[in-house]
Amino acid sequence: MIHRFVFNPFLENTYVVDMGNKEAVVIDPGCQTRREKQELEAYIREKELVVRYTLNTHLHVDHIYGNEMLKELFASESIANISDQIPREITEKPIRRRYWPFADIEPQIDRYVKEGDKLVVGENEIHILETPGHSPGGLSYYIPKLKMVFVGDLLEKAKLGTLEYIYSDKEQMKQSVKKILELPQETLVYYGHGDFSSIKQEKCDLGTDLEH
Ligand SMILES: [Zn+2]
């Protein structure tokens, strides 16, 4: 079972996925204001879910506002890819302008994962796919039994994700998208922004975009 919130001025999708046995993951908690945080907390408490992991598809600020809150309230362990960590200068000050355009917070990451890693939550396995392009450490989370994949900003419905950052890479993005499109075609695809789709539908919609 899945619940979507749309949070913050970037209209970012935050997903709560019930993985069975009352265990859950939260994908990209974008809750920024006190009210948004309360809304997410209330939902989790009402459903009596144990949040095991906060899964960050990437570390853009609109996707990580709630990391700290989920750790504090629910002891949820936050997961990301190390290639998305903020490069630091020798002074240990993050290079915020270049890599972190809107930041007033730093991500709280407990564990870095890589391609092929698996997490077991409730009755489900989560497969980690490295899908760089929008950002160098972009991850997708594939849950085979639930037939769902969460791709962050790699894609939007029927189009490739944005390449607006200095480290965005179109070739990497195309390779990552091809990897996603190899998943079973009935798999539903959930994005960082906007409505969901399916692998089957994305294959139709994206076809020629991947060729040039
Ligand atoms: Zn992004």
Side-chain angles (χ1 to χ4, degrees), residues 9 28 68-69 77 82 86 92 97 122-123 126 151 172 190 195 205:
D28 287 347
E68 205 173 345
M69 162 228 164
E77 192 179 355
I82 198 156
I86 308 168
E92 282 296 302
R97 278 270 152 84
E123 297 158 341
I126 302 166
V151 299
Q172 276 189 340
Y190 293 89
D195 237 352
D205 293 340

Side-chain angles (χ1 to χ4, degrees), residues 23-131:
E23 293 194 336
V25 293
V26 176
I27 296 159
D28 287 347
C31 43
Q32 182 187 24
T33 63
R34 180 193 286 246
R35 177 177 290 202
E36 287 174 345
K37 287 177 179 167
Q38 283 171 346
E39 204 183 326
L40 179 60
E41 181 188 352
Y43 177 83
I44 292 164
R45 295 208 189 280
E46 186 201 312
K47 301 287 179 193
E48 299 178 338
L49 295 170
V50 175
V51 182
R52 292 276 311 282
Y53 296 110
T54 302
L55 304 178
N56 294 115
T57 59
H58 64 303
L59 298 181
H60 285 158
V61 70
D62 51 326
H63 296 251
I64 61 158
Y65 284 119
N67 275 23
E68 205 173 345
M69 162 228 164
L70 289 170
K71 188 176 173 119
E72 274 176 25
L73 294 179
F74 301 105
S76 175
E77 192 179 355
S78 58
I79 304 287
N81 184 264
I82 198 156
S83 301
D84 252 16
Q85 71 182 345
I86 308 168
R88 287 167 188 274
E89 294 166 320
I90 300 156
T91 58
E92 282 296 302
K93 230 177 129 194
I95 310 169
R96 288 177 188 274
R97 278 270 152 84
R98 266 173 80 194
Y99 288 93
W100 204 235
F102 318 108
D104 49 3
I105 53 164
E106 288 194 40
Q108 308 289 322
I109 303 304
D110 297 309
R111 199 205 300 188
Y112 291 105
V113 293
K114 58 183 191 314
E115 176 80 22
D117 286 351
K118 288 176 187 169
L119 301 168
V120 177
V121 185
E123 297 158 341
N124 282 277
E125 260 186 5
I126 302 166
H127 296 198
I128 311 294
L129 306 173
E130 288 182 4
T131 50

Side-chain angles (χ1 to χ4, degrees), residues 123-187:
E123 297 158 341
N124 282 277
E125 260 186 5
I126 302 166
H127 296 198
I128 311 294
L129 306 173
E130 288 182 4
T131 50
H134 176 73
S135 73
L139 292 177
S140 294
Y141 296 97
Y142 174 47
I143 310 175
K145 261 172 71 182
L146 297 182
K147 298 185 170 70
M148 294 174 176
V149 65
F150 297 85
V151 299
D153 291 352
L154 174 69
L155 281 168
E156 292 177 39
K157 190 173 182 176
K159 61 179 180 179
L160 296 177
T162 65
L163 292 158
E164 62 192 309
Y165 301 94
I166 59 167
Y167 50 59
S168 298
D169 185 319
K170 191 164 187 185
E171 271 317 303
Q172 276 189 340
M173 179 176 276
K174 285 184 186 175
Q175 294 311 313
S176 297
V177 171
K178 283 178 184 166
K179 189 192 281 189
I180 293 297
L181 294 184
E182 283 169 12
L183 295 174
Q185 64 172 1
E186 68 274 17
T187 307

